[in-house]
């Protein structure tokens, strides 16, 4: 077996190779003068099972994944496992209006062309796994995030909406603390409304857990609500830290005490490693 890391997921690939005790393939990547991507796998991977690790966000990383898959196929590998730490386009998982694509399905179809097995992490909704024409499974970051939070004396885990309640419950079971959720209504891609809810947050250390932080709007509103309810410390945690636009500024100015994300998307807040959650599925 060889682990092959795309440029978006070098750290996760290195960690996986270390845990699996398998070699990390040497790759070369550069840009042609017109900005098209060139990649090359330097090792002899013929007849090997290869694990290609690449987050598919933003778009150029998706192209890199397609090229790595094709390079592996052309090299005559035995099996391709594609690990997608963050699967971009997963939120357009249905046709919300006539004329729209089902983006999660379109991208899954293309990835499936050169994959025997797909593994992703905390997809926005599990049903997107069915869009892959090959076997597809999801890992979850919750146990690793909960492990990190255990050191913080957390009294309550909060889901920013009812849909994320299970996630909060799972984390609370590991931490052994209370859990609850906020009442969220999404107005549009950038605006959410969080209804105040009596949460019994006074003087408590609260961690809000979500799958994605994008614009930070959901978290910022939740932090403010918790601060209004006199929470002592508010931690925001997510699996996938997209931190679009001025998300970080929003979170900080809302009064959060710490921002925690995994390394499915690398940022200054990637404090939790995702490889240990993924490795069980590869084994
Ligand atoms: C939505 O259902 C997701 O779980 C997240 O709550 C959402 O993607 C966060 O987006 P934003 O940071 O833009 O509020």
């Amino acid at each position: 077996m060889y682990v092959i890391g795309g440029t978006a997921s070098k750290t996760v690939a290195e960690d996986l190779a270390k845990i699996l005790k398998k070699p990390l393939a040497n790759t070369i990547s550069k840009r042609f003068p017109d900005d098209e991507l060139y990649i090359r796998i330097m090792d002899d991977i013929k007849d090997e099972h290869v694990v290609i690790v690449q987050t598919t966000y933003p778009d150029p990383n998706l192209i890199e994944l397609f090229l790595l898959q094709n390079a592996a196929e052309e090299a005559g590998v035995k099996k391709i496992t594609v690990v997608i730490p963050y699967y971009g386009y997963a939120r357009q998982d249905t046709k919300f209006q006539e004329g729209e694509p089902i983006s999660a399905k379109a991208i899954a179809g293309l990835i499936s062309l050169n994959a025997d097995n797909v593994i992703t992490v905390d997809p926005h909704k599990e049903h997107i796994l069915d869009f892959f024409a090959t076997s597809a499974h999801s890992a979850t970051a919750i146990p690793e995030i909960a492990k990190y939070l255990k050191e913080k004396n957390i009294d309550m885990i909060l889901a920013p909406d009812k849909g994320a309640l299970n996630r909060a419950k799972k984390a609370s079971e590991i931490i052994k603390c209370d859990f609850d959720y906020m009442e969220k209504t999404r107005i549009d891609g950038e605006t959410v409304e969080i209804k105040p809810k009596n949460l019994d947050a006074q003087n408590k250390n609260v961690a809000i857990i979500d799958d994605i932080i994008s614009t930070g709007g959901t978290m910022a509103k939740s932090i403010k609500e918790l601060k209004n309810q006199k929470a002592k410390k508010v931690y925001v945690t997510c699996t996938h830290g997209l931190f679009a636009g001025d998300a970080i500024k929003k979170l900080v100015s809302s009064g959060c005490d710490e921002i925690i994300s995994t390394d499915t998307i690398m940022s200054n807040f990637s404090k939790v490693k995702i490889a240990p959650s993924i490795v069980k599925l590869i084994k």
Side-chain angles (χ1 to χ4, degrees), residues 54-66 84-96 100-111 120-125 127-129 131-132 211-212 214 240 242 265:
Q54 175 76 330
T55 271
T56 59
Y57 166 89
D59 290 358
N61 292 327
L62 185 57
I63 301 294
E64 185 177 333
L65 173 61
F66 293 148
I84 310 169
Y86 172 63
Y87 180 51
Y89 287 100
R91 283 173 292 175
Q92 180 76 23
D93 62 345
T94 189
K95 240 195 284 177
F96 297 99
E100 290 178 350
I102 304 174
S103 310
K105 191 176 178 185
I107 306 294
L110 295 172
I111 292 170
T120 188
V121 182
D122 287 337
H124 184 56
K125 289 200 181 127
H127 79 97
I128 64 114
L129 296 174
F131 293 150
F132 291 91
D211 57 341
I212 297 172
S214 179
H240 311 296
L242 292 166
I265 299 166

Side-chain angles (χ1 to χ4, degrees), residues 217-278:
T218 302
M219 285 295 192
K221 289 254 166 81
S222 306
I223 299 162
K224 278 186 196 148
E225 192 45 45
L226 282 169
K227 289 282 171 177
N228 283 342
Q229 297 193 25
K230 310 257 180 310
K232 191 155 80 188
K233 283 199 168 176
V234 179
Y235 298 85
V236 298
T237 72
C238 66
T239 304
H240 311 296
L242 292 166
F243 304 125
D246 61 352
I248 298 297
K249 213 165 130 194
K250 264 189 225 166
L251 299 178
V252 172
S253 65
S254 303
C256 87
D257 292 274
E258 190 176 338
I259 303 166
I260 301 140
S261 135
T262 77
D263 52 4
T264 60
I265 299 166
M266 282 309 291
S267 74
N268 292 339
F269 307 95
S270 299
K271 301 172 185 176
V272 175
K273 283 188 174 288
I274 201 62
S277 310
I278 294 171

Side-chain angles (χ1 to χ4, degrees), residues 91 124 160-161 167 184 186 189-190 192 210-219:
R91 283 173 292 175
H124 184 56
D161 56 41
R167 197 169 286 127
K184 169 175 134 180
R186 181 164 286 286
E190 304 234 348
V192 291
D210 208 349
D211 57 341
I212 297 172
I213 298 179
S214 179
T215 66
T218 302
M219 285 295 192

